[in-house]
Amino acid sequence: KCVIRSRRFGAVCGAVTLMLNEERVKHMIKLADYETKGGKEEQKITSFYKKDYISMNIMWTLLWMTVAYGLVVGTVWLALRDLVTVELTQIQVLSLWILIASIYIVLFVTYMVAAKRYYKRRHARAYHRVKKFKENLMILEKMYEKEDQDAETV
């Protein structure tokens, strides 16, 4: 004898339907676990095209690296300005600025390459996790549909 509880919980018709309900609950737990452990952040990441996501984050990384480098150079310059203006010749000061600019260029390129790799990998991982999440949603939806069909035949 089958007992139809509701459309949401399906029909209870012996051990077979109870197994389907247990399987459905397991899928629901997986989905809820994913959402609580950063799933929303990953869905936000994958809402961008891969190239746009990478470019935007590279831009922000380089902007903050430039600000930090400027603060460090400015602080060192303020601390040593007497030494630079009094004891160094113009050629030495020019050489110092060329050194500072060279270090900045090396840091800029290094950060750009590292940020591109990092954000490319981050987007790819998020994409695969969101894809798996959507597959599990489809499986859950099929379980509901199957239970609805079983309930209608009863």
Side-chain angles (χ1 to χ4, degrees), residues 31-82:
L31 295 172
D33 189 42
Y34 171 78
E35 285 182 332
T36 58
K37 290 185 179 178
K40 292 181 183 182
E41 179 68 25
E42 289 180 347
Q43 288 175 357
K44 191 189 303 184
I45 289 171
T46 57
S47 68
F48 293 99
Y49 288 111
K50 185 178 190 176
K51 194 171 186 177
D52 292 341
Y53 176 75
I54 294 168
S55 299
M56 178 184 66
N57 284 295
I58 287 174
M59 179 189 71
W60 282 110
T61 300
L62 295 177
L63 174 73
W64 287 112
M65 188 273 309
T66 300
V67 169
Y69 188 75
L71 288 172
V72 168
V73 169
T75 303
V76 171
W77 182 262
L78 287 174
L80 301 176
R81 72 174 178 243
D82 290 336

Short mmCIF file of all heavy atoms in Angstrom, two decimals, residues 31-82:
data_model
loop_
_atom_site.label_atom_id
_atom_site.label_comp_id
_atom_site.label_asym_id
_atom_site.label_seq_id
_atom_site.Cartn_x
_atom_site.Cartn_y
_atom_site.Cartn_z
N LEU A 31 24.82 18.90 -2.16
CA LEU A 31 24.57 20.23 -2.72
C LEU A 31 24.63 21.30 -1.63
O LEU A 31 25.23 22.36 -1.83
CB LEU A 31 23.21 20.25 -3.42
CG LEU A 31 23.10 19.36 -4.66
CD1 LEU A 31 21.66 19.30 -5.15
CD2 LEU A 31 24.03 19.83 -5.76
N ALA A 32 24.03 21.03 -0.49
CA ALA A 32 24.05 22.00 0.60
C ALA A 32 25.47 22.19 1.13
O ALA A 32 25.87 23.32 1.44
CB ALA A 32 23.12 21.55 1.71
N ASP A 33 26.23 21.11 1.21
CA ASP A 33 27.60 21.18 1.68
C ASP A 33 28.44 22.05 0.74
O ASP A 33 29.23 22.88 1.17
CB ASP A 33 28.19 19.77 1.79
CG ASP A 33 29.52 19.75 2.48
OD1 ASP A 33 29.66 20.46 3.50
OD2 ASP A 33 30.42 19.02 2.01
N TYR A 34 28.24 21.85 -0.55
CA TYR A 34 28.97 22.65 -1.55
C TYR A 34 28.64 24.13 -1.40
O TYR A 34 29.53 24.98 -1.43
CB TYR A 34 28.63 22.17 -2.96
CG TYR A 34 29.17 23.07 -4.03
CD1 TYR A 34 30.51 23.02 -4.39
CD2 TYR A 34 28.36 23.99 -4.68
CE1 TYR A 34 31.02 23.86 -5.36
CE2 TYR A 34 28.85 24.83 -5.64
CZ TYR A 34 30.18 24.76 -5.99
OH TYR A 34 30.68 25.60 -6.94
N GLU A 35 27.36 24.43 -1.25
CA GLU A 35 26.96 25.84 -1.14
C GLU A 35 27.50 26.51 0.11
O GLU A 35 27.84 27.68 0.08
CB GLU A 35 25.43 25.95 -1.18
CG GLU A 35 24.86 25.76 -2.56
CD GLU A 35 23.36 25.92 -2.60
OE1 GLU A 35 22.70 25.67 -1.58
OE2 GLU A 35 22.85 26.31 -3.66
N THR A 36 27.60 25.77 1.21
CA THR A 36 28.11 26.38 2.44
C THR A 36 29.63 26.50 2.45
O THR A 36 30.17 27.31 3.19
CB THR A 36 27.67 25.58 3.69
OG1 THR A 36 28.14 24.24 3.58
CG2 THR A 36 26.18 25.61 3.85
N LYS A 37 30.32 25.71 1.64
CA LYS A 37 31.79 25.74 1.62
C LYS A 37 32.34 26.51 0.43
O LYS A 37 33.31 26.10 -0.19
CB LYS A 37 32.33 24.31 1.59
CG LYS A 37 32.12 23.57 2.89
CD LYS A 37 32.78 22.22 2.86
CE LYS A 37 32.59 21.49 4.18
NZ LYS A 37 33.17 20.17 4.17
N GLY A 38 31.74 27.63 0.09
CA GLY A 38 32.31 28.49 -0.95
C GLY A 38 31.68 28.33 -2.31
O GLY A 38 32.20 28.86 -3.28
N GLY A 39 30.59 27.64 -2.40
CA GLY A 39 29.94 27.45 -3.70
C GLY A 39 29.44 28.75 -4.31
O GLY A 39 29.50 28.94 -5.52
N LYS A 40 28.97 29.65 -3.46
CA LYS A 40 28.47 30.93 -3.96
C LYS A 40 29.60 31.75 -4.56
O LYS A 40 29.43 32.41 -5.59
CB LYS A 40 27.76 31.70 -2.86
CG LYS A 40 26.47 31.03 -2.45
CD LYS A 40 25.74 31.80 -1.37
CE LYS A 40 24.48 31.00 -0.98
NZ LYS A 40 23.69 31.69 0.01
N GLU A 41 30.76 31.71 -3.92
CA GLU A 41 31.93 32.44 -4.44
C GLU A 41 32.36 31.85 -5.79
O GLU A 41 32.68 32.59 -6.72
CB GLU A 41 33.09 32.36 -3.44
CG GLU A 41 34.35 33.06 -3.90
CD GLU A 41 34.23 34.56 -3.98
OE1 GLU A 41 33.38 35.14 -3.28
OE2 GLU A 41 34.97 35.16 -4.78
N GLU A 42 32.35 30.54 -5.90
CA GLU A 42 32.73 29.90 -7.16
C GLU A 42 31.71 30.20 -8.25
O GLU A 42 32.07 30.37 -9.42
CB GLU A 42 32.89 28.40 -6.97
CG GLU A 42 34.13 28.06 -6.16
CD GLU A 42 34.33 26.59 -5.95
OE1 GLU A 42 33.39 25.80 -6.20
OE2 GLU A 42 35.43 26.21 -5.53
N GLN A 43 30.45 30.29 -7.91
CA GLN A 43 29.43 30.63 -8.90
C GLN A 43 29.62 32.08 -9.36
O GLN A 43 29.42 32.39 -10.53
CB GLN A 43 28.04 30.41 -8.34
CG GLN A 43 27.72 28.93 -8.21
CD GLN A 43 26.39 28.65 -7.53
OE1 GLN A 43 25.70 29.56 -7.10
NE2 GLN A 43 26.04 27.38 -7.45
N LYS A 44 30.06 32.95 -8.44
CA LYS A 44 30.34 34.32 -8.82
C LYS A 44 31.54 34.37 -9.78
O LYS A 44 31.55 35.11 -10.76
CB LYS A 44 30.63 35.16 -7.58
CG LYS A 44 30.67 36.65 -7.86
CD LYS A 44 31.17 37.49 -6.70
CE LYS A 44 30.40 37.32 -5.43
NZ LYS A 44 30.87 38.23 -4.36
N ILE A 45 32.56 33.55 -9.48
CA ILE A 45 33.76 33.50 -10.34
C ILE A 45 33.39 33.04 -11.74
O ILE A 45 33.82 33.62 -12.73
CB ILE A 45 34.82 32.57 -9.73
CG1 ILE A 45 35.43 33.20 -8.48
CG2 ILE A 45 35.92 32.23 -10.74
CD1 ILE A 45 36.33 32.26 -7.70
N THR A 46 32.57 32.00 -11.84
CA THR A 46 32.23 31.45 -13.15
C THR A 46 31.18 32.28 -13.88
O THR A 46 30.87 31.99 -15.03
CB THR A 46 31.75 29.99 -13.04
OG1 THR A 46 30.63 29.93 -12.17
CG2 THR A 46 32.87 29.10 -12.55
N SER A 47 30.63 33.30 -13.22
CA SER A 47 29.69 34.17 -13.92
C SER A 47 30.43 35.06 -14.93
O SER A 47 29.82 35.62 -15.83
CB SER A 47 28.90 35.02 -12.94
OG SER A 47 29.73 35.97 -12.30
N PHE A 48 31.75 35.19 -14.76
CA PHE A 48 32.57 35.95 -15.70
C PHE A 48 33.10 35.01 -16.78
O PHE A 48 33.33 33.83 -16.52
CB PHE A 48 33.79 36.57 -15.00
CG PHE A 48 33.46 37.65 -14.02
CD1 PHE A 48 33.42 37.37 -12.66
CD2 PHE A 48 33.20 38.94 -14.43
CE1 PHE A 48 33.13 38.35 -11.74
CE2 PHE A 48 32.91 39.93 -13.52
CZ PHE A 48 32.87 39.63 -12.17
N TYR A 49 33.33 35.56 -17.97
CA TYR A 49 34.09 34.80 -18.95
C TYR A 49 35.49 34.63 -18.40
O TYR A 49 36.00 35.49 -17.68
CB TYR A 49 34.15 35.53 -20.30
CG TYR A 49 32.85 35.53 -21.05
CD1 TYR A 49 32.12 36.70 -21.22
CD2 TYR A 49 32.35 34.35 -21.59
CE1 TYR A 49 30.93 36.70 -21.90
CE2 TYR A 49 31.16 34.33 -22.28
CZ TYR A 49 30.45 35.52 -22.44
OH TYR A 49 29.27 35.51 -23.11
N LYS A 50 36.13 33.54 -18.76
CA LYS A 50 37.45 33.22 -18.21
C LYS A 50 38.44 34.36 -18.45
O LYS A 50 39.15 34.80 -17.54
CB LYS A 50 37.95 31.92 -18.85
CG LYS A 50 39.25 31.41 -18.30
CD LYS A 50 39.60 30.11 -19.00
CE LYS A 50 40.74 29.40 -18.37
NZ LYS A 50 41.00 28.11 -19.00
N LYS A 51 38.49 34.84 -19.67
CA LYS A 51 39.44 35.90 -20.03
C LYS A 51 39.15 37.19 -19.26
O LYS A 51 40.06 37.87 -18.81
CB LYS A 51 39.37 36.14 -21.53
CG LYS A 51 40.51 36.95 -22.09
CD LYS A 51 40.47 36.95 -23.60
CE LYS A 51 41.70 37.63 -24.14
NZ LYS A 51 41.74 37.59 -25.60
N ASP A 52 37.87 37.53 -19.11
CA ASP A 52 37.50 38.73 -18.36
C ASP A 52 37.88 38.61 -16.90
O ASP A 52 38.39 39.57 -16.30
CB ASP A 52 36.00 39.00 -18.49
CG ASP A 52 35.59 39.39 -19.89
OD1 ASP A 52 36.47 39.80 -20.68
OD2 ASP A 52 34.39 39.29 -20.20
N TYR A 53 37.63 37.45 -16.31
CA TYR A 53 37.96 37.23 -14.90
C TYR A 53 39.46 37.36 -14.68
O TYR A 53 39.91 38.03 -13.74
CB TYR A 53 37.46 35.85 -14.46
CG TYR A 53 37.84 35.50 -13.05
CD1 TYR A 53 37.18 36.07 -11.97
CD2 TYR A 53 38.88 34.61 -12.79
CE1 TYR A 53 37.54 35.76 -10.66
CE2 TYR A 53 39.24 34.30 -11.49
CZ TYR A 53 38.56 34.88 -10.43
OH TYR A 53 38.92 34.58 -9.15
N ILE A 54 40.23 36.72 -15.55
CA ILE A 54 41.69 36.77 -15.41
C ILE A 54 42.20 38.20 -15.60
O ILE A 54 42.99 38.70 -14.78
CB ILE A 54 42.36 35.81 -16.41
CG1 ILE A 54 42.02 34.36 -16.05
CG2 ILE A 54 43.86 36.01 -16.44
CD1 ILE A 54 42.40 33.36 -17.12
N SER A 55 41.72 38.89 -16.63
CA SER A 55 42.18 40.26 -16.90
C SER A 55 41.85 41.21 -15.77
O SER A 55 42.68 42.03 -15.36
CB SER A 55 41.55 40.77 -18.20
OG SER A 55 41.91 39.97 -19.28
N MET A 56 40.62 41.12 -15.25
CA MET A 56 40.20 42.00 -14.17
C MET A 56 41.07 41.79 -12.94
O MET A 56 41.53 42.76 -12.32
CB MET A 56 38.73 41.74 -13.83
CG MET A 56 38.21 42.57 -12.67
SD MET A 56 36.53 42.18 -12.22
CE MET A 56 36.70 40.51 -11.62
N ASN A 57 41.34 40.55 -12.59
CA ASN A 57 42.13 40.28 -11.39
C ASN A 57 43.61 40.59 -11.58
O ASN A 57 44.28 41.00 -10.62
CB ASN A 57 41.92 38.84 -10.93
CG ASN A 57 40.59 38.68 -10.24
OD1 ASN A 57 40.38 39.26 -9.18
ND2 ASN A 57 39.68 37.95 -10.84
N ILE A 58 44.12 40.42 -12.78
CA ILE A 58 45.50 40.84 -13.06
C ILE A 58 45.62 42.35 -12.88
O ILE A 58 46.57 42.85 -12.28
CB ILE A 58 45.95 40.40 -14.47
CG1 ILE A 58 46.19 38.90 -14.52
CG2 ILE A 58 47.22 41.15 -14.89
CD1 ILE A 58 46.49 38.37 -15.91
N MET A 59 44.62 43.08 -13.39
CA MET A 59 44.64 44.53 -13.28
C MET A 59 44.67 44.96 -11.81
O MET A 59 45.49 45.81 -11.43
CB MET A 59 43.41 45.13 -13.97
CG MET A 59 43.32 46.63 -13.88
SD MET A 59 41.75 47.27 -14.44
CE MET A 59 40.66 46.74 -13.13
N TRP A 60 43.81 44.36 -10.98
CA TRP A 60 43.78 44.72 -9.57
C TRP A 60 45.08 44.33 -8.86
O TRP A 60 45.59 45.08 -8.02
CB TRP A 60 42.59 44.07 -8.85
CG TRP A 60 41.32 44.78 -9.14
CD1 TRP A 60 40.28 44.33 -9.90
CD2 TRP A 60 40.95 46.09 -8.69
NE1 TRP A 60 39.29 45.27 -9.95
CE2 TRP A 60 39.67 46.37 -9.21
CE3 TRP A 60 41.57 47.05 -7.91
CZ2 TRP A 60 39.01 47.56 -8.96
CZ3 TRP A 60 40.91 48.25 -7.66
CH2 TRP A 60 39.65 48.49 -8.19
N THR A 61 45.63 43.17 -9.21
CA THR A 61 46.90 42.74 -8.60
C THR A 61 48.01 43.71 -8.94
O THR A 61 48.79 44.12 -8.07
CB THR A 61 47.26 41.32 -9.10
OG1 THR A 61 46.22 40.42 -8.72
CG2 THR A 61 48.59 40.86 -8.53
N LEU A 62 48.11 44.11 -10.21
CA LEU A 62 49.17 45.02 -10.63
C LEU A 62 48.97 46.41 -10.03
O LEU A 62 49.94 47.08 -9.69
CB LEU A 62 49.25 45.08 -12.15
CG LEU A 62 49.68 43.77 -12.82
CD1 LEU A 62 49.65 43.90 -14.32
CD2 LEU A 62 51.05 43.32 -12.33
N LEU A 63 47.73 46.82 -9.90
CA LEU A 63 47.46 48.13 -9.30
C LEU A 63 47.95 48.15 -7.85
O LEU A 63 48.67 49.07 -7.44
CB LEU A 63 45.97 48.45 -9.35
CG LEU A 63 45.55 49.73 -8.63
CD1 LEU A 63 46.00 50.95 -9.41
CD2 LEU A 63 44.06 49.75 -8.40
N TRP A 64 47.60 47.13 -7.06
CA TRP A 64 48.01 47.09 -5.67
C TRP A 64 49.51 46.86 -5.50
O TRP A 64 50.12 47.36 -4.56
CB TRP A 64 47.19 46.07 -4.88
CG TRP A 64 45.80 46.56 -4.65
CD1 TRP A 64 44.66 46.08 -5.19
CD2 TRP A 64 45.41 47.69 -3.85
NE1 TRP A 64 43.58 46.82 -4.77
CE2 TRP A 64 44.02 47.82 -3.94
CE3 TRP A 64 46.11 48.59 -3.06
CZ2 TRP A 64 43.31 48.82 -3.28
CZ3 TRP A 64 45.41 49.59 -2.39
CH2 TRP A 64 44.03 49.69 -2.50
N MET A 65 50.10 46.10 -6.42
CA MET A 65 51.55 45.92 -6.38
C MET A 65 52.24 47.25 -6.65
O MET A 65 53.24 47.60 -5.99
CB MET A 65 51.98 44.88 -7.44
CG MET A 65 53.43 44.46 -7.37
SD MET A 65 54.66 45.46 -8.27
CE MET A 65 53.99 45.60 -9.87
N THR A 66 51.71 48.04 -7.59
CA THR A 66 52.29 49.35 -7.90
C THR A 66 52.17 50.29 -6.71
O THR A 66 53.12 51.01 -6.37
CB THR A 66 51.59 49.95 -9.14
OG1 THR A 66 51.78 49.06 -10.24
CG2 THR A 66 52.14 51.31 -9.48
N VAL A 67 51.01 50.29 -6.06
CA VAL A 67 50.82 51.14 -4.88
C VAL A 67 51.81 50.74 -3.79
O VAL A 67 52.46 51.61 -3.17
CB VAL A 67 49.36 51.05 -4.38
CG1 VAL A 67 49.20 51.69 -3.01
CG2 VAL A 67 48.42 51.70 -5.39
N ALA A 68 51.94 49.45 -3.53
CA ALA A 68 52.85 48.98 -2.48
C ALA A 68 54.30 49.34 -2.82
O ALA A 68 55.05 49.81 -1.96
CB ALA A 68 52.71 47.48 -2.29
N TYR A 69 54.69 49.14 -4.07
CA TYR A 69 56.06 49.46 -4.48
C TYR A 69 56.32 50.96 -4.35
O TYR A 69 57.38 51.38 -3.88
CB TYR A 69 56.30 49.00 -5.92
CG TYR A 69 57.74 49.12 -6.35
CD1 TYR A 69 58.70 48.23 -5.89
CD2 TYR A 69 58.15 50.13 -7.21
CE1 TYR A 69 60.03 48.35 -6.28
CE2 TYR A 69 59.46 50.25 -7.61
CZ TYR A 69 60.40 49.36 -7.14
OH TYR A 69 61.71 49.48 -7.52
N GLY A 70 55.34 51.76 -4.75
CA GLY A 70 55.47 53.21 -4.63
C GLY A 70 55.62 53.65 -3.18
O GLY A 70 56.43 54.54 -2.86
N LEU A 71 54.85 53.01 -2.29
CA LEU A 71 54.97 53.34 -0.86
C LEU A 71 56.34 52.97 -0.30
O LEU A 71 56.94 53.72 0.47
CB LEU A 71 53.86 52.65 -0.06
CG LEU A 71 52.46 53.21 -0.26
CD1 LEU A 71 51.44 52.32 0.43
CD2 LEU A 71 52.37 54.64 0.27
N VAL A 72 56.85 51.81 -0.69
CA VAL A 72 58.16 51.38 -0.21
C VAL A 72 59.25 52.32 -0.73
O VAL A 72 60.11 52.80 0.03
CB VAL A 72 58.45 49.91 -0.61
CG1 VAL A 72 59.90 49.55 -0.38
CG2 VAL A 72 57.53 48.97 0.14
N VAL A 73 59.23 52.60 -2.03
CA VAL A 73 60.24 53.49 -2.61
C VAL A 73 60.13 54.89 -2.01
O VAL A 73 61.14 55.52 -1.67
CB VAL A 73 60.12 53.53 -4.16
CG1 VAL A 73 60.96 54.65 -4.75
CG2 VAL A 73 60.52 52.20 -4.75
N GLY A 74 58.90 55.38 -1.84
CA GLY A 74 58.71 56.71 -1.24
C GLY A 74 59.21 56.78 0.18
O GLY A 74 59.85 57.76 0.58
N THR A 75 58.95 55.73 0.95
CA THR A 75 59.41 55.70 2.34
C THR A 75 60.93 55.67 2.41
O THR A 75 61.55 56.40 3.20
CB THR A 75 58.81 54.47 3.06
OG1 THR A 75 57.39 54.52 2.98
CG2 THR A 75 59.24 54.43 4.51
N VAL A 76 61.55 54.83 1.60
CA VAL A 76 63.02 54.74 1.57
C VAL A 76 63.60 56.07 1.09
O VAL A 76 64.60 56.56 1.63
CB VAL A 76 63.48 53.56 0.69
CG1 VAL A 76 64.99 53.60 0.48
CG2 VAL A 76 63.06 52.24 1.31
N TRP A 77 62.97 56.68 0.08
CA TRP A 77 63.45 57.96 -0.44
C TRP A 77 63.40 59.04 0.64
O TRP A 77 64.35 59.82 0.80
CB TRP A 77 62.62 58.37 -1.65
CG TRP A 77 63.08 59.66 -2.26
CD1 TRP A 77 62.56 60.90 -2.06
CD2 TRP A 77 64.18 59.83 -3.14
NE1 TRP A 77 63.26 61.83 -2.77
CE2 TRP A 77 64.27 61.21 -3.45
CE3 TRP A 77 65.10 58.96 -3.71
CZ2 TRP A 77 65.23 61.71 -4.28
CZ3 TRP A 77 66.06 59.49 -4.55
CH2 TRP A 77 66.13 60.84 -4.84
N LEU A 78 62.28 59.08 1.39
CA LEU A 78 62.18 60.07 2.46
C LEU A 78 63.22 59.83 3.56
O LEU A 78 63.78 60.79 4.11
CB LEU A 78 60.78 60.06 3.08
CG LEU A 78 59.67 60.67 2.22
CD1 LEU A 78 58.32 60.46 2.88
CD2 LEU A 78 59.93 62.15 1.98
N ALA A 79 63.48 58.58 3.86
CA ALA A 79 64.45 58.27 4.91
C ALA A 79 65.88 58.60 4.48
O ALA A 79 66.70 59.00 5.31
CB ALA A 79 64.35 56.79 5.28
N LEU A 80 66.17 58.46 3.20
CA LEU A 80 67.55 58.64 2.72
C LEU A 80 67.73 59.87 1.83
O LEU A 80 68.73 59.98 1.13
CB LEU A 80 68.00 57.39 1.97
CG LEU A 80 67.97 56.07 2.74
CD1 LEU A 80 68.36 54.92 1.83
CD2 LEU A 80 68.88 56.13 3.95
N ARG A 81 66.78 60.79 1.83
CA ARG A 81 66.86 61.93 0.89
C ARG A 81 68.07 62.82 1.14
O ARG A 81 68.63 63.37 0.20
CB ARG A 81 65.57 62.72 0.90
CG ARG A 81 65.33 63.53 2.13
CD ARG A 81 64.09 64.40 1.98
NE ARG A 81 63.91 65.11 3.22
CZ ARG A 81 62.88 64.96 4.02
NH1 ARG A 81 61.92 64.16 3.66
NH2 ARG A 81 62.80 65.64 5.13
N ASP A 82 68.47 62.97 2.38
CA ASP A 82 69.66 63.79 2.65
C ASP A 82 70.89 63.16 2.02
O ASP A 82 71.71 63.84 1.41
CB ASP A 82 69.87 63.97 4.15
CG ASP A 82 68.80 64.85 4.78
OD1 ASP A 82 68.20 65.66 4.03
OD2 ASP A 82 68.57 64.72 5.99
#
